[in-house]
Structure formats: structure tokens, C-alpha cells
Amino acid sequence: MCGILAVLGCSDDSQAKRARVLELSRRSFSISKIVNGEIYNHEDLRKRLPNHRFRTGSDCEVIAHLVGFHSDDSCSLKQDFVDLLDGIFSFVLLDTRDNSFIVARDAIGITSLYIGWGLDGSIWVASEMKGLNDECEHFEYFPPGHLYSSVQGSFRRWYNPGWISETIPSTPYDPLVLRRAFEKAVIKRLMTDVPFGVLLSGGLDSSLVASVTARHFAAPKAAKNWGPQLHSFCIGLEGSPDLEAAREVANYLGTIHHEFHFSVQNGIDAIEDVIYHIETYDVTTVRASTPMFLLARKIKSLGVKMVISGEGSDEIFGGYLYFHKAPNKEEFHLETCRKINALHQYDCLRANKSTSAWGLEVRVPFLDKEFINVVMDIDPEWKMINKSQGRIEKWILRRAFDDEERPYLPKFSDGVGYDWIDGLKENAAENMTDKMMLQAEHIYPHNTPPSKEAYYYRMIFERFFPQKSATLTVPGGASVACSTAKAIEWDSNWSNNFDPSGRAALGVHLLNVPNNH
């Protein structure tokens, strides 16, 4: 518990407000807080509160000090401070004078959070469903970018950037602005005093994260405490192109590279544990979470406590293969908005829970609040494929880091391996029968599994989480190559060919867009 008081926006010559601060400071009240997160701008926020006595060096302590009270004598916690926080977080603040409280979750939902209601009128909050399923009559995921107030008894969105309204942006593309914004996003995540490294899959996104981190590695305390070289980590099937690509980037950057191998059977054996920890039966999430889960265990065994990763790039830049089929820039932009809003149920969930299962923290600079605003404010015309101008997917990101004098990366193409997915499908075919699939809609009327692989994951999930509330937290609907259901309208050939894998989607690699793209 921490006794606090904060009145923001109080000028030095405002005698009345200063008197009010002194008056309230004599009162006895406390704020009890529970926080999961990292506040990257906590030092700047502390400077805004020069008269506050901080008890610890924790970045999260500043949250409680930012909380003010209304100017009257009510005990309602103020709620307008959350947007000041630059970082990732889930927290509960309780005013012990009257037991009023607020709950908030970060802008994109990088940290995990659920809320539930008991029959006795109680409200429960937890980072995992496992903390709620025995106590709550109903529970659901806590919406990202929102807060819940016990006084109002409702949710309110605190995160309201321009792109949320889905207005089509028109800002011209400036590669230097984009580069500087991303470098800033990476640098602020080097705030740490524990051993850390980077996840390096060999693709563009993780390679850029690794490159920028390597350039600025000497600044943080960790580099001084744990050695002058950055550590990078990769996992894959023996001989996969991903491993080769990651190795090439690591050699170019001069990182201490740790390459781990797993077999298809290793992954299959881990699936039950993976689903238990990630708390979803979504096929793409289970597929991607399993190697990450196995890698996190290896990394933590080396004493590393934090890694920086490349999640989120495909959503904000429209980097998935199916974006080739976007009919115009308006549809392109709206689909990126839908993808970002759903990240907390897919990539953010995977990155957070696959790693936290082993006590490893992951940080994701592509989903930095300020960086997202820069990217989403760019005219989407620049993000689209344009054959005549040599633009491929994520061209604006590639162009921003195309520095001939001091290249960020070697010349390489993204490597992708599919043996892992093939192995999962074969395993499901051996365990699920055609007869089971015929009855799937009766067994699972909500989010009916469309494939044997999906049925297999659903069975495991419901064994751990049999409550209807748990089932409803998982997204559903048709998808092609990671698309939303709305984007399937872009190509009539996709209507009967649903599969989350980009390779399986008919023609997803082929361009079918207006002549100027």
C-alpha cells in the first residue's frame, strides 16, 4: 500500500490549487496497486511530480503517483492519467477509503488481462483465465485501450488515436521519419538491468529489431553488466531456411547467436502444455506459439530474462501475403485497422503467454504506441504493392532502412519453412476421424472447427477450460492466410478455400490488383 496524492496541471503561481494539495495531503488515504507491465517514460513522469516521495526505483510505481482525486470530497479515482503512460501494462488501483477501483489495460493489449463476475456480485481481474474459471459465473478478455471504473460500473476507451476512427490518412511517406520513430521505439525498450537478447527468426521484422538493438546496445546498464555483445536466439527444424537466414543476419550483426533445433514430434508433444498456457484454440496461434514456447524455455535456462521481438509489423504495414489483393487503399487501410484491433487475441497473446510461461519477458517495438501512430498516419497508397515502382510488401519499411553507407542488414530474402505445419496436419489426421468431423457442428456449435487440426486443438482446450466463457474469448470466423473475414471478399476464389496458412490459400501469392499497383 502506498499513500499518494497527485494534482496534475498545477502551475507554480496557482495558490488555490497548491493550498488544496496541502489540505488533502494531511488526510489519511491510500492507494493499493497491482501492476503487470513496463512504463518506459517513468523517469520523465517522475519529473512532473517533483514533490512526490518515491519509495522504490520501480518504473511501475509512477502509476500510483499519477492518480489524482476530483476537486470535491468524493473518493472517485481520476481516470485521465492513463494516456500519459508510455509502455505496456495491466493494472488495478484501489482506493482503500471507499474500496472504489479502476482497472486498465495497455493500448494494444500486449499484456494479458481478463475480467470476471461472481454470483455474489464480486468482480475478479487476472492475467490468465485460469485465475477466474473456478470463481466467476462469467468472464471475458479485458478490452485493450480501455479502463473499467467501479464508480461508473462500465468500460471506457482511454486510447483514441486517429486511426481508431478508421479515417483514411493522407500524410506523405518520409523514410527518415519512419526510421527515427522505429529506432526510438527500440531504444526505449533497452531500459533494463537484467540479461536480455533478441529473437531472430531471419525475417525482415526480427532482423531490423536485432540490427537497431545491436547499434544501441552499449548504452543500457545490461550491456555493461552482461558483456559488450548482443545475444540473439532462434529455433527451427533442422535444415530449415529460417535458421539459415537467422544465422546470416547474426553473422552480419556480430551477435552471439544461439541456434536451437526441435523436431516435429517435439512440438507435437508440447501442444497440450502450449494450449494450457496460451489459453486459446486458434489454429494459427497454436502453430506459432509452440516453437516460441520451446525457445522461451531454452532462453530462460541460460539466465536471460527479457527478449525483444518483431511482432506486429505485418499488421501495421499490411505485410501478409493476402494484402496483395486489396482492391484499393481504403480497403487496405481498414484491414490494417481491423488487424491491429485483433492483435490481443493473436500475436500479442502468443508472444506474451508463450514466454511468460517460463518467466521470460518479451518486448515488441513495432507495437510502440508512438510508432503505430506514425505508421498509421501514412497515406496507405505507399504501403500497397506497386509493380511498376518495384514495391513489394512492407516496401516502406525496407526503404526506410536502406542505408548504402552503413547498411542495417545484409541483402537477403525472408526464409519460410512449412514442414512444421505439415507435421501438425498429419498428426491431427491420425488422431481425428472423418466421423468426428461430420458431427463437429453439433459438438461445437460455436466456432465449429473447420479442420481436423482445429478440432484437435479445440478438444484439448475444452479439457482445460470447459466453461462457455472461456470458449467465447477465442476469435472465430473464416480466414485466409491470416486475413479477417471481411478481407475474404477481395478474391472470389477464397470463398471455399479457408486456411490460416498463406501457402494453402489459392492464389494468395499472385497479384490481382488494379494496374497501377
Side-chain angles (χ1 to χ4, degrees):
M1 298 174 63
C2 178
I4 65 165
L5 172 69
V7 177
L8 300 179
C10 181
S11 60
D12 289 339
D13 58 352
S14 179
Q15 296 297 326
K17 287 186 177 180
R18 292 174 66 186
R20 177 64 174 162
V21 169
L22 291 174
E23 175 192 351
L24 288 176
S25 67
R26 299 188 184 99
R27 300 184 182 181
S28 175
F29 59 87
S30 298
I31 299 297
S32 182
K33 61 186 181 296
I34 302 175
V35 185
N36 172 32
E38 294 285 340
I39 308 303
Y40 303 122
N41 65 335
H42 75 103
E43 292 183 350
D44 291 336
L45 293 174
R46 284 172 183 248
K47 293 175 183 177
R48 300 191 188 189
L49 305 166
N51 297 322
H52 284 245
R53 182 168 65 91
F54 289 85
R55 299 171 183 268
T56 73
S58 168
D59 56 284
C60 291
E61 184 184 351
V62 73
I63 295 175
H65 288 264
L66 285 172
V67 179
F69 293 88
H70 292 292
S71 58
D72 57 22
D73 288 332
S74 72
C75 299
S76 302
L77 291 168
K78 274 192 173 180
Q79 304 167 17
D80 55 0
F81 73 95
V82 183
D83 198 35
L84 295 173
L85 302 173
D86 183 8
I88 60 175
F89 52 81
S90 297
F91 65 77
V92 180
L93 295 178
L94 171 69
D95 181 355
T96 58
R97 296 182 300 171
D98 66 348
N99 288 333
S100 64
F101 63 87
I102 60 173
V103 186
R105 189 180 183 189
D106 65 65
I108 305 300
I110 297 168
T111 58
S112 176
L113 193 63
Y114 298 87
I115 185 169
W117 294 264
L119 287 173
D120 60 356
S122 58
I123 298 177
W124 297 68
V125 178
S127 295
E128 295 181 286
M129 289 193 295
K130 290 182 280 291
L132 305 178
N133 54 13
D134 292 333
E135 307 292 345
C136 300
E137 181 68 13
H138 174 75
F139 56 87
E140 58 193 48
Y141 65 78
F142 194 99
H146 284 70
L147 60 81
Y148 178 89
S149 166
S150 64
V151 175
Q152 281 80 42
S154 60
F155 293 95
R156 179 174 68 81
R157 174 175 283 280
W158 64 264
Y159 179 56
N160 291 288
W163 65 267
I164 285 286
S165 65
E166 298 187 342
T167 301
I168 310 302
S170 57
T171 302
Y173 166 58
D174 186 328
L176 287 181
V177 169
L178 186 62
R179 180 197 295 185
R180 289 166 185 156
F182 184 66
E183 288 185 321
K184 182 179 178 182
V186 173
I187 292 169
K188 72 175 64 170
R189 281 159 180 79
L190 302 183
M191 179 192 79
T192 183
D193 55 3
V194 301
F196 76 98
V198 292
L199 300 185
L200 183 57
S201 68
L204 173 67
D205 307 327
S206 67
S207 297
L208 280 178
V209 169
S211 178
V212 175
T213 302
R215 291 189 177 210
H216 298 277
F217 183 69
K221 297 177 182 177
K224 299 175 183 177
N225 295 338
W226 310 107
Q229 276 184 285
L230 177 66
H231 288 252
S232 57
F233 306 93
C234 182
I235 193 169
L237 301 179
E238 189 90 44
S240 72
D242 306 68
L243 292 177
E244 183 179 349
R247 201 179 307 128
E248 181 180 352
V249 174
N251 289 336
Y252 181 82
L253 298 178
T255 66
I256 299 175
H257 192 55
H258 305 265
E259 181 179 296
F260 302 104
H261 301 152
F262 78 103
S263 67
V264 172
Q265 190 58 51
N266 292 150
I268 291 171
D269 291 343
I271 283 178
E272 290 201 13
D273 287 337
V274 170
I275 292 176
Y276 174 77
H277 283 288
I278 67 175
E279 302 182 317
T280 184
Y281 51 83
D282 174 70
V283 171
T284 56
T285 306
V286 174
R287 287 175 176 177
S289 294
T290 304
M292 197 168 191
F293 177 82
L294 297 173
L295 178 59
R297 179 174 61 183
K298 297 284 190 181
I299 293 174
K300 188 58 186 292
S301 71
L302 297 175
V304 174
K305 297 184 178 181
M306 184 270 284
V307 289
I308 307 177
S309 187
E311 274 77 12
S313 174
D314 287 319
E315 283 74 15
I316 61 177
F317 287 103
Y320 289 110
L321 290 171
Y322 75 90
F323 272 92
H324 291 201
K325 299 296 183 77
N328 51 58
K329 72 176 186 178
E330 290 79 13
E331 279 295 310
F332 189 105
H333 179 72
L334 293 177
E335 177 69 359
T336 59
C337 293
R338 291 189 289 265
K339 292 294 293 181
I340 296 172
N341 283 325
L343 265 168
H344 67 104
Q345 294 178 292
Y346 295 98
D347 288 32
C348 289
L349 180 151
R350 167 179 56 79
N352 180 275
K353 293 185 177 181
S354 297
T355 54
S356 61
W358 299 104
L360 181 68
E361 177 195 350
V362 64
R363 298 183 182 180
V364 285
F366 277 110
L367 297 181
D368 178 81
K369 189 168 63 170
E370 294 180 19
F371 182 68
I372 290 177
N373 289 341
V374 169
V375 177
M376 294 302 288
D377 196 42
I378 298 173
D379 187 331
E381 185 79 25
W382 289 95
K383 299 181 184 179
M384 298 183 72
I385 305 301
N386 189 314
K387 293 185 294 183
S388 64
Q389 296 186 19
R391 296 184 197 168
I392 60 176
E393 68 277 1
K394 290 186 283 193
W395 176 84
I396 63 171
L397 179 62
R398 300 172 193 268
R399 178 67 182 85
F401 289 90
D402 187 10
D403 188 331
E404 293 294 335
E405 294 184 3
R406 193 185 174 197
Y408 281 77
L409 295 172
K411 302 296 183 182
F412 72 101
S413 59
D414 299 354
V416 179
Y418 291 103
D419 289 346
W420 165 235
I421 294 176
D422 290 338
L424 289 174
K425 291 182 177 180
E426 291 170 6
N427 176 70
E430 293 173 1
N431 287 277
M432 303 290 104
T433 66
D434 293 339
K435 186 177 181 180
M436 294 169 75
M437 291 304 300
L438 288 174
Q439 306 304 323
E441 63 180 327
H442 300 293
I443 302 298
Y444 302 117
H446 174 75
N447 278 354
T448 302
S451 67
K452 290 181 178 180
E453 185 185 4
Y455 198 118
Y456 181 56
Y457 301 156
R458 183 67 170 272
M459 287 179 62
I460 296 172
F461 177 88
E462 298 224 353
R463 190 165 71 247
F464 292 130
F465 308 102
Q467 301 85 351
K468 181 180 179 181
S469 292
T471 302
L472 295 176
T473 65
V474 181
S479 175
V480 169
C482 297
S483 75
T484 66
K486 179 66 177 176
I488 290 175
E489 299 174 7
W490 294 351
D491 192 322
S492 59
N493 292 324
W494 291 346
S495 59
N496 295 309
N497 190 42
F498 302 138
D499 191 284
S501 168
R503 177 188 57 161
L506 181 63
V508 74
H509 295 79
L510 304 177
L511 295 180
N512 182 24
V513 292
N515 291 331
N516 61 321
H517 297 304

